[in-house]
Amino acid sequence: MTPELEDLFAFLRFPSISTDSRNAGDVRACAEWIVSKLTAMGLQTTLHQTERHPIVVAKNAHQPGKKTVLIYGHYDVQPVDPLNLWSTPPFEPEIREGKIWARGSTDNKGQMLAHILGVEKTLKEKGDLPVNLIFLFEGEEEIGSPSLAPFLEANRELLKCDIIAISDTGMVAPGQPTLSYGLRGIAACEVILRGPARDLHSGIYGGAIRNPATEIARLVSTFHDPEGRVQVEGFYDDVKPLEDWEREMWAKLPGTSDDDFIRYSGASKTHGEAGYTSAERTWARPTAEINGIGGGYQGEGSKTVLPAEAFAKFTFRLVPNQDPADIMEKVKAHLDKHCPPGVSLLYVGGHDGKPFYTDPNSSFGQAAQEALRKSFGKDPVLIREGGSIPIVQAFRDILGVDTLLLGLALADSQIHSPNENFPVENFEAGIRLNQALLEELGK
Amino acid sequence: MTPELEDLFAFLRFPSISTDSRNAGDVRACAEWIVSKLTAMGLQTTLHQTERHPIVVAKNAHQPGKKTVLIYGHYDVQPVDPLNLWSTPPFEPEIREGKIWARGSTDNKGQMLAHILGVEKTLKEKGDLPVNLIFLFEGEEEIGSPSLAPFLEANRELLKCDIIAISDTGMVAPGQPTLSYGLRGIAACEVILRGPARDLHSGIYGGAIRNPATEIARLVSTFHDPEGRVQVEGFYDDVKPLEDWEREMWAKLPGTSDDDFIRYSGASKTHGEAGYTSAERTWARPTAEINGIGGGYQGEGSKTVLPAEAFAKFTFRLVPNQDPADIMEKVKAHLDKHCPPGVSLLYVGGHDGKPFYTDPNSSFGQAAQEALRKSFGKDPVLIREGGSIPIVQAFRDILGVDTLLLGLALADSQIHSPNENFPVENFEAGIRLNQALLEELGK
């Protein structure tokens, strides 16, 4: 086994599950291992205590005139249950079929350590880095990064940089270098419809009193037309249209066809807004999604009740240049317009996050593309992603800096699931990618 | 206290809760009390063991040429929780404000005992009854009468009769004698829509895969038009239209205005099929009711999931001459027609029951009306009810005999709820009613 893989195995053996307080000691031990590693590499490294899990910051000796690059990663991992579905224990890494099997192998220890080892290699080979480097590693990403934004607020000077790079997203196919330049935003809310004062007998009252379960269904059904378009007035007003080059590039991508979506989801067909492909629908078009609906009897069999209330939980995935607050106003107006008499509507606002978009052909974007090309020997593809990464928005809002997303995860990496794995070749490519990226960004 | 009320208090003190196996001894003791009471009155009384709670049958000496009348009642009661909401203990009856407060006072011990005591009084006064009488009392009504239909099947000869009378329905207002001549039937089913193989991340897949929670809402929304009419093709084909006399009589009834429905239900408005009053909608028009809807995240806050499946539980309340099996075929066709591609539909059939209708102006109906008039000193009103009473259908199907529903319950009798009560005057009127009813039916 190479020294690099030995380092990764040591890193993976920490059960650094951030959500479980019984693992708090393991999370801290993992952070201390990182500190030792970085210190041994000659970086000036500090462990910052937070209310839960430490943040580690490391820097080389910064020199005026050089670009400053911040590389973010997280060393905490998701829980491992159901444990019985793992082929080998989640914290006893093993290599099989060219892949490293362990919790955190892809998300995010494997990708994070590749950056560390790339820096180590460059330092060994050249004695110095081509950029001023800041490593920023947190232990709370899997619980929503509660300490990160306050830490950024409190350490703007310490973290001042020109560009940020993260390897925590996906590749469209094995061996296909991928730069993500956009993320969808989100706006969540819940709607509760209340009718009668209590659950009623559906024989005695059915037919004469509005049924909140029926009405929540009717209300939800007003959100889409049969072609999958969202019917909230003004919903698409600020949507940045897809550019021709995006549609052309995405049409040729592996791993994003309707058949791929069907295979990954287990659904029998794809479906969405008319006039767009599945990749376009999930990466560049906004949605109105029902995450939960409920009301009345939930048990087995039947109960002849006319329920007192029913609810629906919505999230709207937003794209540039939609604004979450503006969208929620429009959604509220839609709800008020379609709420029937005889039931009252309670609106409960939820979390939100802005969509993210950065020009992939900016000078930093071109540097990232070149680094991907060099380390994989192949032209990178440019994609957006359908999910939201709130830290990217926090970096922009607080530090005023854009982020390059150079992901190494594969569709079958099983992140957050049993049997998480990371190809050895992706790990090795990640080390090369770090070296190339810093070189290109430093130019 | 009168001897009649002393009898009622003794009857009410048995905690004859049929659903709770811990009360099985109490249920049996209650049945044995009834046997003693009826035997002491000179009736030939038998306790029939069933798999759960006994059925009591009693008869006078039947004479050829006399009409045979079966009076049905049930001596079991609903559970009493939440106990803390009772003003006085549920099995320690008490008279306050002219009402008897106890579990079972209205449903059904008070009404059932009024029949027994009416018979006792007639026997004392006249030495004989004007009819051949069969008392049929069960202890499983509140758990769905599982033993009754088999008992009817096995004892057709024993229970052979010309007409059945039950006092277990409602009066439209205090002091207003009420004959119910129709009940709605029911057909229940559940629909499950399945989409992706597992819950999906709504950021990664949202917009490209059909969401079963959205689709169940759209499917439910196809069941009604904006005017409250059920949109299942052929749904109204066999509906017996309301007759003019029904609409005229119901329009004048107390306790059935929109304001009454609003007051009893706590809803802010009434709503239903266009062109009908609330009484007409609940008594004589069929409905499609959602008793439960669910899918996706049910907890607090939000979870960005695209659920794998969602369900809706339906009951259709049916009116003469709709047939449950025919309606369910039509509902299935509607579901198949409106189920979108990309989700699969699982239909689960539930219980059903035919609607009931008997001519209130038949000779037996007129006798019942005359008995109500005599015992309350007021013309009775003729109504139907929105609920279903499966035993009425069982009597028609198995014994081939119609049922007269002469109810004494009031809207605020709190049956099945804490603080159940029964006006002393209704109890006394019930005794008079039994005497008058047997006299009129015997003519």
Side-chain angles (χ1 to χ4, degrees), chain B residues 65-79:
Chain B
K66 277 187 177 173
K67 295 273 169 42
T68 302
V69 178
L70 186 152
I71 294 175
Y72 163 92
H74 67 91
Y75 63 89
D76 64 320
V77 298
Q78 281 276 317

Side-chain angles (χ1 to χ4, degrees), chain A residues 184 197-198 203 205-208 211 218 224 264-265 271-272 289-291 293-295 297-299 301-302 305 313 351 386, chain B residues 184 197-198 202-203 205-208 211 218 224 264-265 271-272 289-291 293-295 297-299 301-302 305 313 351 386:
Chain A
R184 290 198 289 192
R198 61 189 186 284
Y205 291 97
N211 179 327
R218 292 167 69 85
H224 298 87
Y264 297 142
S265 69
H271 169 75
E289 212 64 63
I290 305 299
N291 305 121
I293 189 168
Y297 182 59
Q298 303 288 310
S302 69
V305 71
K313 293 172 185 279
H351 68 287
Chain B
R184 290 199 287 191
R198 61 189 187 283
S202 70
Y205 292 96
N211 179 326
R218 293 167 69 85
H224 298 87
Y264 296 142
S265 70
H271 168 75
E289 213 65 62
I290 304 300
N291 306 121
I293 189 169
Y297 183 59
Q298 303 288 312
S302 68
V305 71
K313 291 170 186 281
H351 66 289

Side-chain angles (χ1 to χ4, degrees), chain B residues 319-400:
Chain B
V319 299
N321 298 309
Q322 290 178 300
D323 174 65
D326 173 68
I327 290 296
M328 292 323 294
E329 285 308 311
K330 289 169 174 167
V331 166
K332 268 192 254 184
H334 180 93
L335 292 167
D336 288 339
K337 181 177 159 193
H338 290 277
C339 177
V343 293
S344 65
L345 188 151
L346 177 65
Y347 170 92
V348 184
H351 66 289
D352 64 22
K354 292 179 191 163
F356 174 78
Y357 181 90
T358 184
D359 180 2
N361 294 313
S362 68
S363 59
F364 287 130
Q366 285 184 349
Q369 290 186 50
E370 185 58 27
L372 286 162
R373 190 176 293 114
K374 281 187 177 163
S375 43
F376 283 89
K378 197 169 173 184
D379 277 343
V381 295
L382 309 178
I383 69 166
R384 304 201 220 166
E385 301 211 355
S388 309
I389 307 184
I391 48 169
V392 172
Q393 193 59 42
F395 287 142
R396 177 176 273 178
D397 288 346
I398 301 170
L399 302 184

Side-chain angles (χ1 to χ4, degrees), chain A residues 3-51:
Chain A
E4 289 80 11
L5 281 169
E6 274 174 17
D7 269 347
L8 179 55
F9 274 39
F11 192 21
L12 290 171
R13 284 193 191 100
F14 292 98
S16 51
I17 302 167
S18 49
T19 196
D20 194 331
S21 57
R22 291 169 300 180
N23 291 98
D26 301 310
V27 180
R28 183 167 184 103
C30 188
E32 285 167 356
W33 181 88
I34 299 161
V35 170
S36 307
K37 177 76 195 170
L38 298 172
T39 304
M41 284 162 52
L43 302 182
Q44 187 190 333
T45 308
T46 321
L47 184 147
H48 298 264
Q49 197 52 54
T50 73
E51 282 185 21

Side-chain angles (χ1 to χ4, degrees), chain A residues 184 186 188 190 195-198 200-211 213-214 216-218 220-221 224-226 261 264-273 278 281-282 287 289-307 311 313 315 317 341-343 351 386-387, chain B residues 184 186 188 190 195-198 200-211 213-214 216-218 220-221 224-226 261 264-273 278 281-282 287 289-307 311 313 315 317 341-343 351 386-387:
Chain A
R184 290 198 289 192
I186 195 167
E190 180 169 357
R198 61 189 186 284
L200 299 177
H201 190 295
S202 69
I204 297 172
Y205 291 97
I209 299 292
R210 288 244 188 219
N211 179 327
T214 308
I216 199 78
R218 292 167 69 85
V220 165
S221 76
H224 298 87
D225 73 6
F261 269 81
Y264 297 142
S265 69
S268 62
K269 272 185 200 305
T270 61
H271 169 75
E273 191 187 357
S278 290
R281 286 165 174 168
T282 52
T287 64
E289 212 64 63
I290 305 299
N291 305 121
I293 189 168
Y297 182 59
Q298 303 288 310
E300 208 177 323
S302 69
K303 185 180 179 189
T304 51
V305 71
L306 192 164
F311 70 86
K313 293 172 185 279
T315 47
R317 293 281 171 175
V343 293
H351 68 287
Chain B
R184 290 199 287 191
I186 194 167
E190 179 170 357
R198 61 189 187 283
L200 299 176
H201 189 295
S202 70
I204 296 172
Y205 292 96
I209 299 292
R210 289 243 188 220
N211 179 326
T214 308
I216 199 79
R218 293 167 69 85
V220 165
S221 76
H224 298 87
D225 73 5
F261 269 80
Y264 296 142
S265 70
S268 62
K269 271 185 201 301
T270 61
H271 168 75
E273 191 187 356
S278 290
R281 287 165 174 169
T282 52
T287 64
E289 213 65 62
I290 304 300
N291 306 121
I293 189 169
Y297 183 59
Q298 303 288 312
E300 208 177 323
S302 68
K303 185 180 178 190
T304 51
V305 71
L306 193 163
F311 70 86
K313 291 170 186 281
T315 47
R317 293 280 171 177
V343 293
H351 66 289

